[in-house]
């Protein structure tokens, strides 16, 4: 039987031990040209066109079309640490900011999305944004938004917050896409009651304004579902909601990050050899549908599908969602990459 290394071409970052599992959206603002996050081609190559990503882009395409009645302006992506929220937002960012480079990738994966040429994209990794005069976190959500949109018409007096009038002036007839990551982790440490209430009131105005796509504002937020006050505002029925915690195609997402190419005919022969060993003991292994299981094994090669599922189960159950050690797909990615390095 051939060895795995004879049938599989691993991605260079797996071979070199430089697999990029933790996505830092702040790297895009830091403008480090060598960072993985800043290279749209590397991002597209490493991105599996998951069902969640396709649904997001399909819904956004619908919302950008004035012909559709069921349009949405608020998009909520939930899931624990390591479930792929930041990678999804990173891909969205490059699709919107590099439309010419995105189109071949969209076409290759048969994703019906036409990136708008005039998009204004504001990226806000909230836990990394600081005040201009210190390293302290920004105090108010509207500060980075208005800075990115070039709007200076609002003056904070201590108890007020921006209204829909301010938002309409800031958007100024453009198509604006706000990508807000980790808003809960930024908001939860706030102890000043007035500051907290001002932020919540503005978030309410922001999402209310975005409810009508004709206003030109589209808001994308990631949530861990840890802060009820924020969840109650953004998690309404009129928002698009996607939970990545138990994505059905997470196996394909991880394998895409690890494997560049597989000699499929040779892999099919290996799989058939395994199935021939299973058939005489089917009363114990209980496969039943051998045709369907053959397909699963080929798609998961060089791993057995049960191996991948066990890894996911272990990483999904070892920690609570609110803990930063909760790894989900990221933990599975690192472990399986290490296994492949040793083959």
């Amino acid at each position: 039987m051939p060895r795995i290394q004879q049938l599989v071409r691993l991605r260079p970052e797996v071979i070199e031990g430089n697999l990029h599992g933790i996505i830092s959206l702040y790297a895009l603002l830091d403008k480090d040209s060598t960072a993985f996050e800043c290279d749209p081609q590397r991002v597209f190559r490493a991105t599996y066109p998951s069902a969640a990503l396709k649904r997001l882009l399909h819904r956004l395409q619908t919302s950008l079309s004035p012909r559709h009645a069921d349009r949405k302006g608020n998009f909520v992506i939930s899931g624990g640490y390591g479930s792929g929220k930041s990678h999804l937002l990173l891909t969205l960012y490059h699709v919107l900011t590099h439309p010419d480079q995105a189109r071949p990738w969209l076409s290759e994966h048969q994703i019906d999305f036409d990136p708008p040429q005039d998009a204004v994209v504001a990226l806000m990794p909230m836990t990394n944004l600081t005040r201009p005069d210190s390293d302290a976190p920004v105090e108010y959500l509207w500060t980075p938004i208005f800075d990115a949109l070039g709007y200076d018409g609002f003056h904070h007096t201590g108890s007020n917050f921006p209204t829909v009038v301010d938002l309409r002036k800031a958007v100024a007839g453009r198509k604006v896409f706000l990508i807000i990551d980790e808003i809960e982790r930024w908001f939860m440490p706030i102890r000043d009651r007035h500051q907290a209430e001002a932020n919540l009131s503005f978030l309410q105005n922001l999402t209310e304004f975005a409810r009508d796509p004709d206003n030109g504002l589209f808001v994308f937020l990631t949530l861990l579902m840890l802060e009820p006050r924020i969840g109650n505002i953004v998690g309404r029925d009129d928002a698009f909601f996607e939970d990545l915690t138990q994505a059905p195609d997470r196996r394909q997402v991880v394998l895409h990050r690890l494997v560049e190419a597989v000699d499929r005919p040779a892999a099919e022969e290996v799989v058939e050899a395994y199935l021939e060993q299973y058939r005489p003991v089917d009363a114990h292994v209980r496969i039943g549908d051998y045709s369907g299981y053959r397909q699963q094994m080929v798609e998961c090669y060089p791993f057995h599908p049960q191996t991948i599922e066990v890894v996911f189960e272990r990483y999904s159950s070892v920690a609570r969602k609110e803990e930063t050690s909760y790894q989900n797909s990221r933990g599975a990615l690192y472990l399986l990459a290490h296994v492949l390095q040793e083959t």
Side-chain angles (χ1 to χ4, degrees):
M1 185 173 292
R3 296 173 60 86
I4 288 175
Q5 60 186 343
Q6 296 175 285
L7 307 187
V8 173
R9 183 168 73 246
L10 301 178
R11 294 195 180 276
E13 54 266 33
V14 176
I15 298 172
E16 298 163 3
N18 294 322
L19 183 67
H20 209 86
I22 299 177
I23 299 298
S24 170
L25 294 179
Y26 184 70
L28 291 162
L29 302 181
D30 203 29
K31 297 181 180 178
D32 178 2
S33 60
T34 64
F36 166 82
E37 293 87 348
C38 295
D39 187 334
Q41 290 296 350
R42 288 179 65 190
V43 171
F44 290 139
R45 284 195 301 269
T47 301
Y48 178 78
S50 66
L53 179 57
K54 287 182 177 180
R55 282 192 293 268
L56 173 66
L57 292 175
H58 173 74
R59 170 53 65 180
L60 181 55
Q61 184 68 64
T62 299
S63 298
L64 288 169
S65 173
R67 299 189 304 273
H68 289 275
D70 184 24
R71 296 185 294 160
K72 298 181 185 295
N74 293 303
F75 300 78
V76 180
I77 313 300
S78 72
Y81 291 101
S83 59
K85 301 185 303 299
S86 294
H87 194 125
L88 188 147
L89 291 186
L90 176 65
T91 306
L92 173 67
Y93 173 85
H94 283 300
V95 167
L96 293 173
T97 57
H98 299 90
D100 293 336
Q101 296 185 53
R103 285 192 178 91
W105 180 82
L106 293 167
S107 176
E108 176 188 355
H109 298 293
Q110 300 180 322
I111 300 175
D112 184 18
F113 181 73
D114 185 22
Q117 290 288 350
D118 55 350
V120 178
V121 183
L123 181 68
M124 285 166 289
M126 294 303 299
T127 56
N128 296 112
L129 299 183
T130 58
R131 306 176 202 174
D133 55 346
S134 72
D135 292 330
V138 292
E139 295 177 285
Y140 297 100
L141 178 60
W142 60 77
T143 302
I145 294 176
F146 289 164
D147 285 348
L149 299 182
Y151 176 67
D152 59 2
F154 173 76
H155 300 287
H156 184 51
T157 60
S159 59
N160 62 335
F161 49 86
T163 66
V164 167
V165 173
D166 293 295
L167 288 167
R168 184 166 284 109
K169 291 178 180 178
V171 171
R174 299 172 289 181
K175 284 189 176 66
V176 174
F177 302 83
L178 302 182
I179 299 178
I180 306 174
D181 193 27
E182 297 195 326
I183 188 172
E184 293 164 299
R185 288 184 59 208
W186 165 77
F187 176 81
M188 289 170 68
I190 296 176
R191 294 292 173 260
D192 184 279
R193 181 173 61 86
H194 298 292
Q195 181 185 348
E197 289 178 353
N199 276 299
L200 291 171
S201 297
F202 172 69
L203 182 62
Q204 180 78 42
N205 286 343
L206 181 72
T207 54
E208 287 286 347
F209 186 73
R211 289 180 68 180
D212 183 356
D214 287 337
N215 288 330
L217 178 65
F218 302 87
V219 179
F220 303 84
L221 302 106
T222 60
L223 291 186
L224 289 164
M225 306 306 291
L226 300 178
E227 172 49 68
R229 290 172 293 178
I230 289 180
N232 290 338
I233 292 173
V234 305
R236 299 170 305 196
D237 292 340
D238 62 321
F240 172 88
F241 192 90
E242 187 73 49
D243 185 0
L244 302 183
T245 304
Q246 295 292 335
D249 52 3
R250 58 185 181 174
R251 292 194 307 202
Q252 286 74 25
V253 171
V254 168
L255 286 168
H256 184 84
R257 295 292 311 278
L258 301 173
V259 176
E260 199 167 74
V262 174
D263 183 340
R264 190 177 179 93
E268 289 174 347
E269 292 182 10
V270 172
V271 168
E272 189 58 41
Y274 273 90
L275 293 177
E276 286 301 316
Q277 299 300 312
Y278 292 154
R279 286 188 177 91
V281 293
D282 190 63
H284 300 287
V285 297
R286 298 180 181 178
I287 290 176
D289 180 9
Y290 275 83
S291 176
Y293 205 67
R294 177 188 295 106
Q295 183 69 20
Q296 284 191 55
M297 290 184 69
V298 171
E299 290 177 352
C300 291
Y301 190 85
F303 295 104
H304 194 288
Q306 286 301 112
T307 300
I308 300 178
E309 286 307 307
V310 167
V311 170
F312 273 123
E313 288 171 8
R314 295 296 184 268
Y315 273 103
S316 296
S317 62
V318 294
R320 299 188 304 273
K321 185 185 292 187
E322 62 267 23
E323 294 177 340
T324 56
S325 60
Y326 182 82
Q327 293 295 301
N328 208 330
S329 296
R330 182 189 301 154
L333 181 68
Y334 282 136
L335 177 58
L336 296 176
H338 182 70
V339 170
L340 289 175
Q341 284 179 305
E342 298 299 318
T343 58

